[in-house]
Amino acid sequence: MEEKPEKLISDEGIRVDGRRPDELRPVKMEVGVLDKSDGSAYVEFGGTKVIAAVFGPREAHPRHLALPDRAILNCRYHMTSFSVEERKPLGMTRREVELSKVIREALETVVFLEEFPRASIDVYIEVIQADGGTRTTGLTAASLALADAGIPMADLIAAVAVGKVEGQLVLDLCDVEDKYGEADMPVAIAPRFNSIVLLQLNGRLTPEEFKKGMELAQKGIAEIYRMQRETLKKKFSSARMEA
Ligand code: ADP
């Protein structure tokens, strides 16, 4: 585990990786990165690197799990064993099972599941490298992969964590800030409706800090949402040119 730096915020208000409090890490996004799945995306926030792949809608298996009036959405969030320095257990840990569930519940709010009775839509999130904010990066990637698969959705989901580090509210925590900061609050929003689809808080914030943190998250999410739409536009406009 990385050691705690002497200071997480400099006297000039600069963070361990050189960012200002309201700055995102360098972000990369790409869709259609895999051939075998129906949709896929690669998303990178600084040192956090995630691939999402989507299959479906396809016949639900085992068939007795199929629902007569809508599709089931399966979601698996998994960290590869080389994604962290420590020895990560090979199977699904409790943390991964919990994150799979909260990510699925967030995605279920936007996917039009009722359009595909008896079907399943399967979402796989693989964390290739972890440096804080893997659930938010995973959700951002999963919604891009669903869009890439052409699955009808009310909106994309854009997500980022905010937190408190040495008394300062900061956007998009890296691993060291997450570990040694006072609070970590992942937020996911469907921006078109401004509806919060995931909100967790680890640590403590005052009501004022919570409000300011939400504003900071919304600012970051607006930027992430713009990048997601650009990424999809780029892919589909180049597909049109090729046709
Ligand atoms: P998130 O990745 O969504 O911020 P957590 O707050 O649980 O979720 O984890 C914060 C960070 O801690 C992760 O991004 C990762 O860098 C690190 N981490 C999580 N699980 C492990 C693990 N099993 N071994 C080492 N580091 C881990």
Side-chain angles (χ1 to χ4, degrees):
M1 190 161 119
E2 260 180 274
E3 283 192 16
K4 183 179 188 301
E6 206 172 304
K7 268 175 163 259
L8 289 168
I9 306 263
S10 74
D11 294 339
E12 292 76 37
I14 300 298
R15 298 157 68 180
V16 275
D17 53 10
R19 283 182 291 157
R20 293 185 311 273
D22 63 349
E23 215 176 320
L24 292 172
R25 291 176 282 182
V27 178
K28 281 191 197 156
M29 288 182 191
E30 200 180 334
V31 288
V33 293
L34 304 172
D35 294 338
K36 316 264 171 173
S37 54
D38 296 316
S40 58
Y42 172 76
V43 177
E44 190 177 297
F45 274 67
T48 290
K49 302 169 190 233
V50 174
I51 285 194
V54 167
F55 289 93
R58 58 184 178 182
E59 193 179 339
H61 271 282
R63 277 160 94 165
H64 71 267
L65 291 180
L67 299 175
D69 58 340
R70 66 177 181 94
I72 45 172
L73 195 130
N74 296 312
C75 178
R76 191 184 86 141
Y77 160 101
H78 179 250
M79 282 171 102
T80 57
S81 30
F82 51 82
S83 65
V84 287
E85 275 171 45
E86 284 146 58
R87 193 180 290 251
K88 196 217 147 247
L90 275 183
M92 287 285 280
T93 59
R94 275 179 62 116
R95 176 179 171 277
E96 288 165 308
V97 172
E98 182 211 315
L99 292 191
S100 301
K101 176 179 181 283
V102 293
I103 291 172
R104 171 175 56 76
E105 286 172 348
L107 293 172
E108 279 175 344
T109 65
V110 290
V111 177
F112 290 130
L113 294 171
E114 63 285 356
E115 288 193 18
F116 306 103
R118 308 203 57 77
S120 81
I121 295 169
D122 306 316
V123 180
Y124 297 94
I125 295 167
E126 285 292 328
V127 178
I128 309 299
Q129 188 171 280
D131 186 23
T134 61
R135 82 194 63 193
T136 49
T137 308
L139 246 179
T140 302
S143 79
L144 276 177
L146 283 162
D148 183 46
I151 290 173
M153 289 188 285
D155 198 4
L156 292 166
I157 289 175
V160 75
V162 290
K164 187 162 80 161
V165 172
E166 291 172 356
Q168 169 81 53
L169 287 170
V170 296
L171 179 65
D172 188 20
L173 305 167
C174 63
D175 191 34
V176 178
E177 292 175 323
D178 180 307
K179 290 233 162 61
Y180 302 111
E182 298 94 79
D184 162 30
M185 182 167 79
V187 182
I189 288 180
R192 182 142 41 125
F193 312 102
N194 201 20
S195 64
I196 297 168
V197 296
L198 176 142
L199 177 63
Q200 295 177 299
L201 173 60
N202 190 3
R204 282 173 161 227
L205 295 176
T206 64
E208 286 70 39
E209 285 168 343
F210 175 79
K211 197 162 163 260
K212 244 189 104 187
M214 279 304 291
E215 282 164 13
L216 201 54
Q218 274 174 318
K219 181 175 167 274
I221 280 169
E223 214 172 312
I224 296 162
Y225 188 52
R226 187 184 50 73
M227 286 187 254
Q228 286 175 305
R229 283 180 305 166
E230 278 300 308
T231 305
L232 288 168
K233 229 186 267 170
K234 208 159 58 188
K235 169 171 172 183
F236 288 105
S237 61
S238 67
R240 233 191 350 256
M241 302 256 285
E242 280 163 25

